Amino acid sequence: MSTPIRRTSARPSTAVLTSARLREESRTGGPSARSTERAFLQLQSRVGNRAAAAAVQRARDTSGGKAGDSGGTPAASRKNYRDRIAGLLDRFKKNLEPIDTFVKGFQTPANAGFTQQATTAANEGLKHSAAASGTSAASGNLLTESVGTVVSGMDAYKNMKDARKHETGAGHHTARKKARTKGADTVVGAAGSGSYSAAVAKEVTKIQKAADAAVASEASGIASASVGAIKGMRSAFRVGGAARKYRQVKKLGDPHLVHAGSLARLNESREHANWAAAEAFVALDAYWNHEGQGRLELVSEAVDAAWEAMGEARDAAEHLRRAERDIERLSTVQGYAKKKQLAKIGKETVGGGGESTKAAAGVVTAVAAGTVGLASNPVGWGLAGAGAGLVLGVTLYKALRAATKRYEEVHHPERWAQEGGTPEEAASRGESLKHALKFWKKVSKGERQAMAREIYALAAGPEISGRTTVEMRESARALLIALKSGPAQHKLEPEAWAESLNDPARSAGWIKEIAEQLASG
């Protein structure tokens, strides 16, 4: 048995070439004398060209990343740093809010009551204790309000930049609306911080029994009345906005009545398609029983006609079922939109009434301070308590609703899961309760987000919702306009606005925009 011939490569190995190159360059004093290149050539000779190339590429990537971090993207670093600070401050504010709610709803009205009682009974010890408690309460309110003002200001600045960046479309409108809202929150927060500063000064002068205690009390009452009036007016504007949006949605009418004609036409088409299919089968039976030349050809044509008629009947029935289902979906989302606006009207009315009552209490306090002393008039105490009770009721309602939604978000993820998607695994009752108590977290997978997806699925163009009828799509887009998400708000022409709805790349921005508009007035 002969020994197999081994084919020898005509190309020398990498190691041989490298070794020869090293000897030559060491003899001639070439660039291999430098340590960096020598190390590189040694690495190349050990592991081959591929590994060396990978090492060089990693080195380039690392050096490029460092250069980018140090001098290439300072603006991005500052932005990331600013976002982290804003996130920490927002988390800190939300942790302060439960304490702030207790102070506003219980401690402050109780302090006013004890002060009134101490003034009536001339009890200096009780008066001093009430003033000390009032100082701590106003200080806590001042801390929460100040942090909230800073967070609102940072959010307003961020959203103003986002609005300038987007210029048009859903992203622009969402950012611009948030910038206005957060800007107003900043102004109101600054005024509230001034009011709480005056309240701290008032209580401190009472503790020190200063001669200007009445002046400080009068100034605090005026500041409190001013802030309460501003908040009450803002609630009134929000009520007006929600009422207008409710009327616009209501004007769209009941989808079952609006689309009754289109449903009738689809049903008629289905009946015609069914009759055509029946006639095709009758013709098929006739040709099947026919005797004579060309029978098979006639039967074949009749089978094709019957098959086509069955397909048309099936499509007509599917179109009708789809339209009926879309009408139910549109009716559901319209009802939800009206319910959200009614709920907003109720919350803002009660909350604004509470702020207005607190403003009246501030006026009474200021008047009483100039005559017989702070809160010596039980009317001021009663108004302050009533206003605080109304505001506290709204706050507790919002907190309970948010906790319930957070619980459902993780305990029943299938309830509002995206259609066609796989819902997340449901959390246990204990884990869901823990998640519900995380008051600093927003609900991201709840009913409002699901309704926003439904509206977008109906309003989107053929690229996204091809099987939706033209009439249904127009009705859904009319709902978007009623929710203040139309071409005018997006600074777009109607054609460009419709194209943005038909762009899959903008779907996430549209869903976010619709969810925001469902919640706002």
Side-chain angles (χ1 to χ4, degrees):
M1 184 175 181
S2 62
T3 305
I5 300 174
R6 299 178 182 268
R7 179 175 295 179
T8 304
S9 174
R11 183 178 180 180
S13 67
T14 303
V16 172
L17 288 175
T18 304
S19 177
R21 185 177 177 183
L22 279 170
R23 288 195 300 272
E24 178 64 22
E25 289 182 351
S26 63
R27 183 178 60 81
T28 59
S32 65
R34 288 178 292 182
S35 60
T36 303
E37 292 190 12
R38 184 183 301 115
F40 173 76
L41 292 172
Q42 290 174 353
L43 174 64
Q44 189 183 38
S45 64
R46 282 198 305 266
V47 298
N49 287 332
R50 183 174 298 177
V56 171
Q57 186 62 43
R58 285 196 297 271
R60 287 177 178 174
D61 293 341
T62 304
S63 62
K66 288 180 179 179
D69 292 341
S70 59
T73 57
S77 299
R78 286 197 300 270
K79 181 179 179 182
N80 183 49
Y81 188 62
R82 185 171 58 247
D83 291 344
R84 290 180 63 186
I85 292 176
L88 289 173
L89 286 175
D90 186 55
R91 176 76 176 268
F92 181 56
K93 170 183 171 287
K94 289 180 178 178
N95 280 294
L96 289 175
E97 283 177 349
I99 302 173
D100 186 69
T101 300
F102 170 79
V103 169
K104 289 178 179 177
F106 295 99
Q107 188 174 356
T108 300
N111 288 337
F114 285 128
T115 300
Q116 191 271 335
Q117 181 181 353
T119 303
T120 304
N123 188 335
E124 293 297 327
L126 181 59
K127 186 184 296 186
H128 185 276
S129 299
S133 178
T135 302
S136 66
S139 299
N141 294 144
L142 176 61
L143 177 62
T144 304
E145 196 76 27
S146 300
V147 175
T149 302
V150 174
V151 172
S152 297
M154 296 179 75
D155 285 345
Y157 175 74
K158 177 180 179 296
N159 282 285
M160 280 192 295
K161 290 186 66 177
D162 290 343
R164 287 196 295 267
K165 180 178 70 174
H166 291 291
E167 294 184 354
T168 59
H172 167 78
H173 183 235
T174 302
R176 188 183 62 173
K177 188 177 181 66
K178 279 190 174 181
R180 287 201 305 264
T181 302
K182 293 299 181 179
D185 288 344
T186 303
V187 174
V188 174
S193 299
S195 174
Y196 289 129
S197 298
V200 172
K202 174 191 72 174
E203 299 297 340
V204 169
T205 55
K206 287 165 60 180
I207 292 175
Q208 296 175 349
K209 298 181 181 180
D212 56 352
V215 177
S217 297
E218 187 174 2
S220 176
I222 293 172
S224 177
S226 301
V227 173
I230 292 172
K231 291 183 177 180
M233 290 176 59
R234 192 181 185 196
S235 294
F237 281 119
R238 287 176 170 175
V239 168
R244 285 191 295 272
K245 188 176 283 188
Y246 174 82
R247 288 195 297 269
Q248 292 298 321
V249 176
K250 191 175 181 180
K251 281 182 182 179
L252 299 176
D254 185 357
H256 295 91
L257 300 177
V258 172
H259 293 279
S262 62
L263 278 183
R265 288 192 296 272
L266 288 174
N267 186 53
E268 185 177 357
S269 298
R270 179 184 64 85
E271 291 178 351
H272 284 321
N274 288 337
W275 275 110
E279 290 173 356
F281 275 100
V282 170
L284 175 61
D285 289 339
Y287 287 127
W288 189 264
N289 296 326
H290 179 72
E291 296 290 342
Q293 190 176 5
R295 174 175 175 270
L296 292 179
E297 183 178 352
L298 292 174
V299 169
S300 177
E301 292 176 356
V303 168
D304 292 340
W307 184 261
E308 183 178 355
M310 284 180 59
E312 292 177 356
R314 185 172 57 252
D315 292 342
E318 177 61 28
H319 290 328
L320 178 61
R321 284 195 298 269
R322 175 79 181 189
E324 290 174 341
R325 182 188 173 201
D326 286 348
I327 287 176
E328 291 297 331
R329 294 167 69 189
L330 184 61
S331 177
T332 299
V333 295
Q334 282 189 197
Y336 179 81
K338 290 188 288 187
K339 183 185 72 172
K340 289 293 290 185
Q341 299 311 311
L342 288 176
K344 188 174 185 66
I345 290 172
K347 289 185 289 187
E348 291 295 338
T349 299
V350 176
E355 296 294 345
S356 300
T357 305
K358 288 169 66 178
V363 173
V364 173
T365 298
V367 173
T371 55
V372 292
L374 173 66
S376 60
N377 190 337
V379 175
W381 173 35
L383 288 174
L390 290 173
V391 175
L392 178 64
V394 173
T395 303
L396 292 177
Y397 170 78
K398 289 181 178 179
L400 181 61
R401 285 282 297 166
T404 304
K405 291 177 181 179
R406 283 192 296 270
Y407 179 87
E408 292 180 349
E409 181 182 26
V410 296
H411 194 60
H412 298 290
E414 76 286 348
R415 183 169 297 174
W416 307 117
Q418 188 171 359
E419 185 178 0
T422 303
E424 298 179 0
E425 185 178 354
S428 64
R429 186 182 297 272
E431 292 174 346
S432 301
L433 287 173
K434 289 180 182 179
H435 183 74
L437 295 176
K438 295 178 180 178
F439 49 84
W440 58 87
K441 287 192 174 182
K442 293 183 178 180
V443 178
S444 60
K445 300 174 184 177
E447 183 180 14
R448 181 158 56 95
Q449 289 75 20
M451 293 298 163
R453 290 195 299 269
E454 289 287 323
I455 295 173
Y456 178 71
L458 292 171
E463 291 291 330
I464 298 169
S465 57
R467 293 185 294 173
T468 301
T469 62
V470 176
E471 295 87 350
M472 193 64 57
R473 187 174 293 126
E474 291 300 323
S475 292
R477 291 180 178 181
L479 175 59
L480 287 180
I481 295 174
L483 292 173
K484 299 181 181 178
S485 290
Q489 288 80 19
H490 291 186
K491 293 185 177 181
L492 291 171
E493 294 297 324
E495 295 79 8
W497 179 73
E499 289 177 3
S500 70
L501 281 165
N502 198 31
D503 186 358
R506 303 184 187 181
S507 297
W510 260 111
I511 293 172
K512 181 180 178 182
E513 156 83 350
I514 297 170
E516 291 287 342
Q517 292 305 113
L518 284 171
S520 65

